[in-house]
Amino acid sequence: MDAKTQKAELTRAAIVGAAMELAGREGLESITLQAVADRIGLSKSGVFSRVGSRETLQKAVIDEWGRRFVDDVFVPAMQQPKGLPRLDAIVQRWIARTRDVETRTGCIFSAGAFELDDREGPLRDHLHGEILRWRAALRRSVLQAVEAGHLRAGTDAEQLVSEIYALTLGMIHDARFLRDSRAAERANATWQRLLSTYRA
């Protein structure tokens, strides 16, 4: 990679990073080219030339946030054997990431889902697709745990995925809004109790 290309990629990363910080604090709709330009000392046209339209930048934020989540949660968990060890690692790492990251910066996916739930359009569709992709990966892990005999035969994978999602959303609420310092501890206890009802 030549120096010019490297500089362009670093600048784009800085733009997306600034937009992510803005979205974490004020929501996806708060992202504007001018607001991001002001944060990193570029002109509005300079931001546009590197990322394109406002909507393109919003989508880039969703993509980057999803990439970081996958790197922190799913990629390391995939090192565990298929079945309950892998599923447990996913949930444990999700709780840890929520405690260490989302509690401080906000969860762009969960906040975005509430922000865009009644707004049709490409941005909602993009976020919707990313969330469904996560849930599909989680569902596969549940089904693998059933196939391995770790969870009860006939386990409703969609139900368990929904319960795991509810667990993490509840943790975000308690940690950020209630400022409960034990939110992660409670989420872990909830997960262990939930898991005990599904074990084979």
Side-chain angles (χ1 to χ4, degrees), residues 86-99:
R86 183 175 295 181
L87 177 63
D88 186 52
I90 290 170
V91 178
Q92 294 284 351
R93 294 190 71 87
W94 194 347
I95 291 171
R97 180 184 158 90
T98 301
R99 178 196 65 212

Side-chain angles (χ1 to χ4, degrees), residues 138-163:
L138 191 55
R139 182 176 180 274
R140 281 195 300 274
S141 296
V142 170
L143 291 174
Q144 288 169 354
V146 174
E147 291 166 3
H150 300 153
L151 299 182
R152 291 194 322 266
T155 291
D156 185 338
E158 291 293 350
Q159 178 65 30
L160 181 48
V161 167
S162 178
E163 289 168 338

